[in-house]
Amino acid sequence: VNQITNDSFALNILGLVYLKLQLIEKAKKNFKKAITANPNYIDSYNNLGKTYFDSEDLDKAFIFFKKAYKVNKQFSKTLINIGNYLSLKDKNLYAVKAYEKALLNEPLNTEVLSNISIAYSRNKDFDNAKKYYDKAVNNNKNINPSLELSLFYLYIYKNKFKKAWELFESRKGTPKFL
């Protein structure tokens, strides 16, 4: 471990290992070391930001996502991370813009299509939410439960209870379901 102090790639990998082992502070420390070793290594910014994001320190996460964006304004993972932050901050139209920019690089990315659908759902824009939901489903039959739950709520909002009921069980697969 002491021999990799200047290898940003190795430090980043070590941070990911610590993250997998739930050693969050050690993971953060290694991502920061990787950034110091190479300030242009975008993965370390995104991984550090995602670590803060998963710990629900959203504003700190956003700081690192913005730094990653400065390194490369076209990197899809950074754009997705920024979109996720903006969506959780109820800035859904800005989130959609970030996601759409990510789609330019990966037009069939189911995660991005799903996130766009969820962002439109949060804005109660049923037509666009459904459009992106359908695109996500067409690209991948294993749709994430959060997307299905979002569509469930939209159907409820639109008083389409029969269609909503078909998606009701999706709540069980979401991270917040106990």
Side-chain angles (χ1 to χ4, degrees):
V1 174
N2 291 337
Q3 296 172 335
I4 62 170
T5 56
N6 291 323
D7 186 337
S8 58
F9 179 78
L11 289 163
N12 187 64
I13 295 295
L14 186 58
L16 291 171
V17 169
Y18 284 134
L19 199 56
K20 183 74 174 169
L21 295 171
Q22 298 295 311
L23 300 170
I24 306 302
E25 293 308 314
K26 283 188 175 189
K28 288 179 191 175
K29 184 177 176 182
N30 278 278
F31 295 139
K32 289 176 183 176
K33 284 182 182 179
I35 291 168
T36 300
N38 181 355
N40 291 318
Y41 189 60
I42 197 167
D43 290 344
S44 297
Y45 291 108
N46 278 307
N47 290 332
L48 182 56
K50 185 78 168 80
T51 303
Y52 283 111
F53 190 90
D54 291 344
S55 301
E56 298 185 8
D57 190 346
L58 300 181
D59 293 330
K60 189 92 171 204
F62 191 56
I63 290 168
F64 290 101
F65 297 152
K66 287 191 299 186
K67 289 180 180 186
Y69 184 76
K70 286 180 183 177
V71 172
N72 182 344
K73 292 176 175 33
Q74 304 302 318
F75 192 60
S76 295
K77 197 63 185 166
T78 302
L79 294 165
I80 293 167
N81 288 335
I82 289 171
N84 291 344
Y85 168 84
L86 292 168
S87 185
L88 287 176
K89 290 292 191 173
D90 289 326
K91 296 179 180 183
N92 291 296
L93 295 179
Y94 291 110
V96 167
K97 288 179 191 254
Y99 294 139
E100 286 177 340
K101 195 169 179 183
L103 273 184
L104 294 175
N105 301 324
E106 300 179 41
L108 301 178
N109 185 317
T110 303
E111 177 187 5
V112 176
L113 294 168
S114 297
N115 289 349
I116 292 173
S117 177
I118 291 169
Y120 277 125
S121 294
R122 289 180 176 153
N123 265 6
K124 296 182 173 68
D125 182 342
F126 183 77
D127 294 333
N128 278 316
K130 182 72 168 97
K131 179 175 99 175
Y132 283 95
Y133 173 84
D134 290 341
K135 284 182 181 183
V137 169
N138 289 335
N139 286 336
N140 184 353
K141 299 301 177 199
N142 299 319
I143 293 303
N144 77 52
S146 295
L147 175 60
E148 287 187 336
L149 187 61
S150 179
L151 189 61
F152 163 80
Y153 286 121
L154 266 177
Y155 281 135
I156 293 290
Y157 177 74
K158 290 291 206 175
N159 295 320
K160 296 183 178 189
F161 300 114
K162 186 176 180 181
K163 287 187 175 191
W165 186 251
E166 294 171 10
L167 298 169
F168 183 65
E169 293 298 311
S170 63
R171 76 196 189 290
K172 292 180 180 176
T174 63
K176 302 286 181 184
F177 186 77
L178 299 176

